[in-house]
Amino acid sequence: MGHVIEHIALEIQTLAGMDTGFGRTRGTGVEGEYYVVFSYMEEDAGVYAARAAVRITKALADNTEYNLEEDIQKLREIREDTRLGPSTGCIVEEAAKRNIPYIRLNKQSLVQLGYGVHQKRIRATIASTTSNIAVDIACDKEETKLLLEAAEIPVPRGTVIRTEEGLKDAVEKFKYPLVIKPIDGNHGKGNTTNINTWEQATRAFEAAKVYGRNVIVEKFITGYDFRCLVINNKFICAALRTPASVVGDGVHNIQWLIDETNKDPRRGFGHEKVLTQITIDQFTQKMMDDAGITLETIPSKGERVLLKPTANLSTGGTSSDVTDEVHPANIFMFERIAKIIGLDICGIDVMANDLRTPVSENGGAILEVNAAPGFRMHIEPAEGLARNVAEPVIDMLFPKGSIGRIPIIAVTGTNGKTTTTRLTAHIAKNAGKKVGYTTSDGVYIQNQLMMRGDCTGPISSTFVLKDPTVDFAVLECARGGILKNGLAFQNCDVAIVTNVAADHIGLGGINTVEQMAKVKGVVPETVFPHGYAILNAEDDLVYDLRKGLNCNIALFSMDENNPRIKKHCAEGGLATVYENGYVTIMKGNWKIRVMAAKDIPLTYEGKAVHNIANCLPAVMATYLYRDITIEDIRQGLQTFIPGESLTPGRLNFFHFKNFTFLADFAHNPHGLRLLGDFVGKLDYKVKIGVISGTGDRRDEDIRELGAISANIFDEIIIRCDKNLRGRTAEEIISLLQDGINSVNTNLPVKVIPNENEALEYVYAHHIPGALYIVMCDVVAGALDKIKELKAREEKS
C-alpha cells in the first residue's frame, strides 16, 4: 500500500501540471509500516499530495466515492501560490544551468543567486544591481513621461489630475479618445483605454483613483501594443501583445466562444502553460457594458470582441515575437530610453502601427517604462521565436567566469566532526578568510556566535551561505539533518568523513553501521569532480565510500605505513599522516612535515591522540586551497587553543583549588573510548566519571557506555540528561548500572539524576586532587554550571 500511495502522490501532481516522477517505498521492518519518498516541484504541493494520496488510497480500499478533481484543482492553486513566476523562474533556471546556486528567500519572488559575498538578488525581474532611483522614476508615470519628452522621445500628450474639475479640463484640452490610468499603477491595474464619452471618463477616473490620488489623462494612441525589452543597455527582443479576445463566427454567443478558446491545449490555469485561460471578471463586464453587449450576444463572423482592457498574458492575452522586424532607429531609441531612466532591466511599452518603421515617424508613442517587466511573453510567445531573455540577465549579474560560489568544506562522521570543523575554520580565518561555520554548538560568522544549539542541519548551513560577509564556509553535516532535510548545498569543494561508528543506530530507519555509512556518504557524493573527498583510511566503511565517488580522493591515517596510504601515495595521491611525532602531508612519496604533534595545543602535548587524528583532515582540507599556505596552516594549529571558547565541550579543563573538572561531549562508546585513552595518560590521584546515557540509543549502546566507564574511572556518579528522549530516568540508570556491573561489581557508584545537583555534589564533596570527568549532553548548560561553581569558589 505504501507503493500505491507513492504512485498516486506522483500522479496527482503530474495531473496538476507538476510533472515529477521519482519515488521509492521501503518497509521499515514492521508489517504495514513504510518509508515513502517521492519528489515534488513545490514543497507545499508535495505535502498536500502526500496527504491526499493517503485519503485517495483509503477511499479506494473502502470502495467509497472520492472527488479527485477537487484535489487536483487545489494542487494547481497551491502551485500558483507558491511557485516562482515565469519571469523569476526562467532567471533561476538559467542560473542553475550555469551551476550558479540559488536560495529562495521568501514565499514570493525574492531569490538569492550565488553564495556569501558573491551573491546577487532578484525580485521578479528587478535585480540587486538595479538602481533604486530608476525604479522610483519608472513607477511615476508622469515623471517618466517628462524625462522622455525632454529627451525628444515621442510620448502621448496628457496631464495629471486629482479632481473631476481637472478631468473636465483635460477632456476639453486633449479631446477624445483618451486613456485614464493611475500615476503609479502596474500590470494594467486601474487603466481604461479608448474613452469616448464623459460617462466613460468619469467611471475610468473613479477606477484609477482606487490605486492612488494622482491620475493621468492622456490622448489615446491608436495602433498595436508592443513590449520591447532592454537588458544591460542592450536591446534584446520585442513582442506584439494582443488582449484576450474572441472572434465571432456568426453562429455562437460570446460565452461559447470563450469556452471554445479555453479548450486550446496551450491554455492553462495561471502560469501553468504558454497561455492563460480567459476568465470573466469586472474588467470584462465593464468592457461589455460599454459596448452594449452581453455573454449571450452573437458576434458577426470575423468580428473581434476584446475581453480585457490590457494585453497582459496573465489575463488571457497572447504575444507574438517581432524582434527581427524592429527598425535600427527604434533599437537605438529603446536603448537610449533605458539609459535615460537608468534601468538595467527595462520593459518599454510602445503603441504604434508597427516597429518596422521608426516610431518617431509612424505616429506611435512610448506609453510606459516598466522596472519589473514580465518575461513570459518573450520566453513563451504564442507565435514566433521564443527568446532566452534570462541569459543576458545572468550575463549581467555574473560576468564571464563568475559563478557566484564561495569555497565550501563539508564535514561529517560519527566523532570528531565539531573539532575538525572548528580547526578547519580557524586555519582558514588565520589565512585571511571571512569564515562562516556550523557546529553542534552553534552557527558562527567570523567567530561571532549567531545561533546557539545543535546547528548541524541544512537550515544552519543555509544561514551561512546566505550571509553576505562570508567568503569561506565550513559546514558540519550530521546524520539527523541529512535524514530529515538533506543538505543545504548541491555541491561542495571538499568533504571530510572522520569515521563511522555505532551511534544513533535504530533511529530514523538506520539499523546498522553499514547503513549509517551510506548516510554519511551522501556528503562526499556532492563534491565537484575537481574537488576532494578526504577519507579516513583506517575506517573500512569510510574508505569504501571512495568507490562511488566522482571526485579526487585524499586520505588520512595515524599510521604512515597503512597499506592503503602507501598504495594511494605510490599512485601520486595526497594524504595526511602522523609520522615520527609529526603531522605530515604526503604528496606522492614526498613528505611535508607541517608541525610536531606535541607542539599543537589541541593535542595536549600529544596525549589527546584523537585530536591528532582530528588535525589530519583539517590540515589536508586547508592545504588543498592554493591561497592557504603551509605557514598559514602552522600558525592556525599553533593559535587554536583548546578551551570553552574555541572548543566548548571538548576536553575543557576547569581547575579548582583542590580538584579539577574535565567536561567533554563524549556521548557514544567510540567517543568514550577515545576520551578514556586521553584520561589514562593524565596524572591525577583519582579519576571519577560523571556519566549519563542518551535515551534514544539502543539498550546495548547504553550498557556499553557503563562498561567502558567502569574500565576508565575509579568511581562513577550517574546522572541523567535533561531530555530523556523517550525513556525514563530509571531505565537509563538501570542500563548503565548493568554495564558497570558486567565489568566491576565493586566499583563505587552514586546516582544523582539531576545534572546540576550532581555537579553541586562534586563541588561540596570533592576528593582533593581528583579529576572529575563530566560527560555533558547539553554543553552550554554544563559549562555554565561549572563556571558558576568556579565563580562561587573564587568569592569564598
Side-chain angles (χ1 to χ4, degrees), residues 116-163:
V117 293
H118 300 307
Q119 67 181 266
K120 306 289 185 186
R121 290 180 183 173
I122 56 167
R123 187 197 292 275
T125 58
I126 294 178
S128 49
T129 55
T130 303
S131 159
N132 182 55
I133 194 169
V135 173
D136 198 47
I137 291 168
C139 288
D140 187 325
K141 292 178 172 56
E142 182 62 13
E143 192 167 15
T144 300
K145 186 176 163 186
L146 289 171
L147 284 173
L148 297 182
E149 196 170 25
E152 294 297 324
I153 304 291
V155 294
R157 294 171 58 235
T159 188
V160 177
I161 63 165
R162 286 191 178 186
T163 63

Side-chain angles (χ1 to χ4, degrees), residues 322-613:
V322 294
T323 303
D324 297 332
E325 300 175 9
V326 181
H327 191 280
N330 289 334
I331 291 174
F332 172 75
M333 180 179 69
F334 299 149
E335 292 178 349
R336 188 163 168 259
I337 288 169
K339 285 193 173 183
I340 290 166
I341 304 302
L343 288 172
D344 55 3
I345 302 174
C346 180
I348 300 164
D349 292 342
V350 185
M351 186 66 74
N353 288 324
D354 61 65
L355 295 181
R356 290 187 291 271
T357 56
V359 171
S360 56
E361 296 175 11
N362 65 18
I366 306 302
L367 301 185
E368 287 184 18
V369 177
N370 295 275
F375 284 179
R376 188 181 175 200
M377 69 189 77
H378 306 297
I379 58 176
E380 294 179 331
E383 296 176 13
L385 197 63
R387 306 285 173 171
N388 183 7
V389 295
E391 183 177 33
V393 173
I394 298 300
D395 286 342
M396 175 182 74
L397 296 176
F398 298 95
K400 208 166 186 179
S402 167
I403 56 169
R405 290 184 175 273
I406 61 173
I408 297 175
I409 297 175
V411 184
T412 193
T414 301
N415 291 308
K417 297 188 299 294
T418 299
T419 301
T420 301
T421 297
R422 285 179 169 277
L423 178 58
T424 304
H426 181 78
I427 293 170
K429 177 179 174 289
N430 193 68
K433 306 295 185 184
K434 306 286 191 300
V435 185
Y437 61 97
T438 63
T439 71
S440 55
D441 310 314
V443 177
Y444 296 80
I445 303 295
Q446 299 183 51
N447 268 14
Q448 297 291 314
L449 179 63
M450 297 293 165
M451 294 167 65
R452 188 183 291 275
D454 187 348
C455 297
T456 54
I459 293 172
S460 306
S461 294
T462 301
F463 183 93
V464 169
L465 298 174
K466 287 196 297 189
D467 193 285
T469 68
V470 169
D471 64 11
F472 199 100
V474 186
L475 308 174
E476 181 179 343
C477 304
R479 165 211 64 93
I482 294 171
L483 285 173
K484 290 174 186 172
N485 295 299
L487 297 169
F489 48 87
Q490 293 291 327
N491 296 101
C492 64
D493 303 283
V494 176
I496 296 170
V497 186
T498 58
N499 46 62
V500 177
D503 193 19
H504 299 96
I505 302 300
L507 300 176
I510 305 303
N511 298 311
T512 67
V513 184
E514 288 74 20
Q515 289 177 336
M516 184 63 76
K518 288 187 177 181
V519 176
K520 307 292 186 183
V522 169
V523 177
E525 283 173 12
T526 67
V527 177
F528 281 117
H530 64 265
Y532 277 82
I534 302 174
L535 306 177
N536 186 343
E538 296 171 8
D539 188 312
D540 293 344
L541 292 171
V542 174
Y543 182 69
D544 282 347
L545 293 177
R546 77 196 191 287
K547 294 173 184 173
L549 301 180
N550 179 32
C551 64
N552 299 300
I553 306 294
L555 300 177
F556 67 94
S557 172
M558 290 293 287
D559 178 10
E560 69 164 323
N561 293 313
N562 182 311
R564 293 166 177 171
I565 294 286
K566 294 183 86 169
K567 181 176 183 294
H568 180 69
C569 291
E571 293 169 355
L574 286 172
T576 39
V577 296
Y578 177 54
E579 58 87 27
N580 291 317
Y582 282 86
V583 170
T584 298
I585 296 169
M586 304 281 291
K587 287 182 70 175
N589 292 319
W590 295 98
K591 291 181 180 178
I592 304 171
R593 285 185 170 170
V594 179
M595 201 170 185
K598 64 180 178 57
D599 295 332
I600 300 172
L602 184 63
T603 73
Y604 291 92
E605 298 178 335
K607 294 187 182 79
V609 175
H610 63 290
N611 274 346
I612 300 175

